[in-house]
Amino acid sequence: MTRLIAIAAAALILAGGAHVWQSGQSTSAYPGLGAAAAQTAVEEVDTSIVQEMVLGSPDAPVTVIEYASFTCPYCRSFHIGPFNELKADYIDTGKVRFIYREVYFDRFGLWAGMVARCGFGEDDAAMEEAAAEGAANADQAAAPDAGTRRYFAIADVIYEQQSEWSSADTPAGIAQNLARIGRSAGLGADQVDACLQDAAMAQALVAVYQQNAEADGVRSTPTFIIDGETYSNMPWAEFAAILDEKLGE
């Protein structure tokens, strides 16, 4: 069973973390959903610092939006399995533009998203200049930037190791496990800690999540919006059949 999103009660989720974890050592330096959602009005949050995570050609004929949580086991199943086929057969071939949007059931999913985004954009300019010089065709030019590639690489590890990092007995242990994943991706220890304490980013991420989820009527994860139509979790064969139908294949 997928878990329902209680958007209206986001400010109440902070206490004790998600229901599947035991409360423990304080991690007061790290924002939770309660703190992130405590802004008096969404309009007061600077959401411009949150960049949409996109793979695939902007000219792809079909757009797929996935709403997923890093703490959702069904999302993990999709990302360690069918997502690889989606990427190889549809995204990388220019048929599908894929947009990934995080959903936050708990502060741990929020922390995971903050680690995945850590360092985003810091070295993109130089790498993009080199990529542009070496781009031989439109497909290469449409390749994801350095920050996006790193985000999805870290996200892959977060999903793959979901049961390991989320099994810590305390919130501090979970934060340490997530920080370890960030460091394994080449991020510095101080850099990861600073990312986990970035209250402005936490507020912006939660505000963007609330805006998007409300606009698209998202109530569970994973949820897919395929060319404007909403679908819940499904076997890969059904997913591929829908894509092929929309592609006219």
Side-chain angles (χ1 to χ4, degrees), residues 12-170:
L12 303 178
I13 303 178
L14 175 60
H19 69 278
V20 295
W21 284 287
Q22 301 296 320
S23 60
Q25 181 178 344
S26 172
T27 49
S28 58
Y30 300 153
L33 286 187
Q39 199 80 9
T40 56
V42 170
E43 292 77 11
E44 297 179 13
V45 181
D46 179 12
T47 58
S48 67
I49 62 176
V50 178
Q51 182 166 328
E52 192 98 273
M53 293 302 172
V54 182
L55 293 174
S57 170
D59 299 321
V62 172
T63 296
V64 174
I65 302 173
E66 180 194 8
Y67 284 89
S69 167
F70 284 121
T71 58
C72 163
Y74 306 99
C75 302
R76 176 187 183 275
S77 296
F78 176 77
H79 275 270
I80 67 173
F83 177 73
N84 296 310
E85 296 183 72
L86 172 64
K87 187 174 185 302
D89 296 342
Y90 295 90
I91 299 172
D92 292 347
T93 56
K95 297 178 181 179
V96 164
R97 180 173 182 258
F98 177 78
I99 301 172
Y100 179 82
R101 293 178 176 171
E102 298 169 13
V103 169
Y104 309 119
F105 289 125
D106 44 63
R107 54 179 161 170
F108 308 125
L110 175 62
W111 292 351
M114 293 170 75
V115 169
R117 288 176 180 270
C118 194
F120 190 89
E122 290 182 0
D123 56 0
D124 286 354
M127 295 187 73
E128 288 311 303
E129 182 178 352
E133 290 177 357
N137 53 53
D139 290 337
Q140 286 177 298
D145 59 35
T148 301
R149 290 195 299 273
R150 179 163 55 195
Y151 172 86
F152 280 101
I154 295 176
D156 285 346
V157 178
I158 290 173
Y159 274 125
E160 289 169 3
Q161 299 182 12
Q162 184 187 84
S163 60
E164 288 85 357
W165 66 259
S166 65
S167 64
D169 293 332
T170 66

Side-chain angles (χ1 to χ4, degrees), residues 234-246:
M234 70 188 92
W236 170 243
E238 294 181 21
F239 199 122
I242 292 169
L243 294 178
D244 290 340
E245 180 180 0
K246 291 185 177 294

